């Protein structure tokens, strides 16, 4: 008997139903980041489908970077960590094409209320409680990105400044490890702007210097928006470069 949510009326292919149920299991933290999902034979029994149908569902989750196959070991839930996949959501390279992961510094943490734009991006009510985080990224004493990050407090109920500062290498890694939130995709919009006095000071440049402005919404499972950030990038030595998988 198939253990699937009754969505046949939508006319979805069977493997899409299996994929939907696997995403539901991931969303419920049944399979945690870095853990292997159950063996294919067990999943076939659980969902009452053939190995071919199951593999089509897994193939799509791998293509979407939700799962990752490791030869000879199995299929695992993707982890945001320093390693081969650390650049998945970092879209900046030096002008010579070199890509390194910059240091992250938390310069500000506060609680606020969502304005109209933030509320729309995060799918919350205007005035809902949010966390506002300002970060600077760079190498040694050469910062080149300021980020204004906004998170819905209801999605991150355990978030505190102390917890945030305890793991300053990757925000998305912290989202996973401390809050059970897995970022699986992002949408970005790029435009030009001029450095404000505040951003100029953080980037060690003159006010009015041209900057790249990158608006990002990050999504978890089932297209749930979990983060809205605006990055201000000094492009004197770096440029925006995003590859589409």
């Amino acid at each position: 008997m198939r253990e699937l949510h009754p969505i046949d009326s939508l006319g979805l292919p069977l493997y899409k139903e299996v994929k939907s149920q696997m995403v539901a299991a991931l969303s419920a933290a049944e399979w945690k980041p870095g853990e292997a999902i159950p063996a294919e034979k067990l999943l076939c029994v659980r969902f009452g489908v053939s190995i071919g149908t199951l593999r089509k569902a897994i193939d799509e989750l791998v293509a979407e970077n939700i799962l990752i196959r490791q030869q000879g070991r199995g299929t695992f839930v993707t982890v945001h960590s320093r390693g081969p996949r650390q650049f998945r959501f970092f879209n900046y390279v030096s002008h010579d094409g070199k890509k390194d992961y910059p240091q992250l510094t938390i310069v500000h943490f506060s609680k606020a209320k969502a304005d109209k734009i933030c509320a729309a991006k995060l799918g919350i009510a205007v005035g809902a409680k949010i966390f506002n985080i300002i970060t600077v990224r760079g190498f040694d004493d050469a910062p080149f990105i300021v980020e204004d990050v906004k998170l819905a407090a209801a999605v991150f109920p355990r978030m505190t400044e102390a917890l945030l500062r305890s793991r300053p290498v990757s925000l998305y890694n912290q989202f996973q490890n401390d809050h059970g939130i897995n970022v699986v995709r992002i949408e970005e919009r790029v435009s030009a702007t001029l450095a404000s006095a505040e951003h100029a000071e953080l980037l060690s440049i003159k006010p009015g210097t041209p900057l790249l402005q990158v608006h990002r919404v990050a999504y978890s499972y089932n297209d749930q928006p979990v983060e809205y950030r605006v990055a201000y990038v000094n492009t004197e030595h770096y440029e925006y470069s995003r590859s589409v998988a």
Side-chain angles (χ1 to χ4, degrees):
M1 180 178 294
R2 288 162 47 197
E3 297 181 9
L4 294 173
H5 191 273
I7 55 176
D8 300 68
S9 61
L10 297 178
L12 294 175
L14 184 55
Y15 81 92
K16 291 283 190 181
E17 297 184 24
V18 175
K19 177 186 174 184
S20 176
Q21 293 303 299
M22 293 183 72
V23 169
L26 288 162
S27 184
E30 181 178 342
W31 309 322
K32 296 179 173 59
E35 291 183 353
I37 64 173
E40 290 182 341
K41 288 183 179 180
L42 294 177
L43 290 175
C44 285
V45 172
R46 171 173 174 167
F47 298 125
V49 296
S50 68
I51 190 71
T53 297
L54 177 72
R55 285 178 177 170
K56 286 186 71 174
I58 293 176
D59 285 345
E60 284 206 356
L61 293 171
V62 170
E64 293 170 10
N65 292 299
I66 293 174
L67 299 178
I68 181 172
R69 286 193 175 99
Q70 296 184 11
Q71 181 118 21
R73 296 191 61 215
T75 303
F76 294 77
V77 182
T78 300
V79 177
H80 296 285
S81 62
R82 302 294 289 270
R85 303 172 71 80
Q86 66 181 327
F87 297 119
R88 182 180 166 204
F89 297 125
F90 185 74
N91 299 319
Y92 306 97
V93 298
S94 61
H95 292 323
D96 62 5
K98 186 178 180 181
K99 200 168 193 178
D100 291 314
Y101 203 85
Q103 300 156 355
L104 174 68
T105 302
I106 309 295
V107 298
H108 176 78
F109 176 91
S110 64
K111 298 178 182 178
K113 294 183 178 180
D115 60 18
K116 187 175 181 180
I117 294 176
C118 177
K121 298 294 186 181
L122 291 177
I124 58 178
V126 174
K129 294 180 181 179
I130 63 170
F131 296 112
N132 189 43
I133 304 162
I134 305 296
T135 72
V136 172
R137 296 180 186 268
F139 299 100
D140 299 324
D141 294 323
F144 73 98
I145 304 176
V146 174
E147 294 171 315
D148 183 351
V149 179
K150 301 186 188 302
L151 310 173
V155 178
F156 295 88
R158 296 183 58 249
M159 177 66 75
T160 64
E161 183 172 3
L163 186 62
L164 180 70
R165 292 184 182 277
S166 71
R167 205 186 295 266
V169 175
S170 166
L171 289 182
Y172 291 173
N173 180 259
Q174 193 207 49
F175 290 177
Q176 280 189 330
N177 292 339
D178 296 329
H179 305 281
I181 301 295
N182 192 5
V183 173
V184 298
R185 73 177 183 90
I186 61 171
E187 291 181 354
E188 289 188 325
R189 179 169 52 85
V190 180
S191 59
T193 190
L194 300 176
S196 66
E198 177 186 3
H199 294 149
E201 181 178 0
L202 291 172
L203 292 172
S204 300
I205 58 177
K206 294 181 179 180
T209 299
L211 299 176
L212 198 65
Q213 186 178 59
V214 183
H215 293 256
R216 169 187 293 191
V217 178
Y219 296 87
S220 187
Y221 303 119
N222 297 314
D223 284 333
Q224 178 191 9
V226 296
E227 177 205 51
Y228 171 53
R229 76 168 68 181
V230 182
Y232 302 87
V233 187
N234 181 3
T235 59
E236 181 180 3
H237 302 293
Y238 296 89
E239 59 192 57
Y240 182 90
S241 176
R242 183 176 181 187
S243 298
V244 179

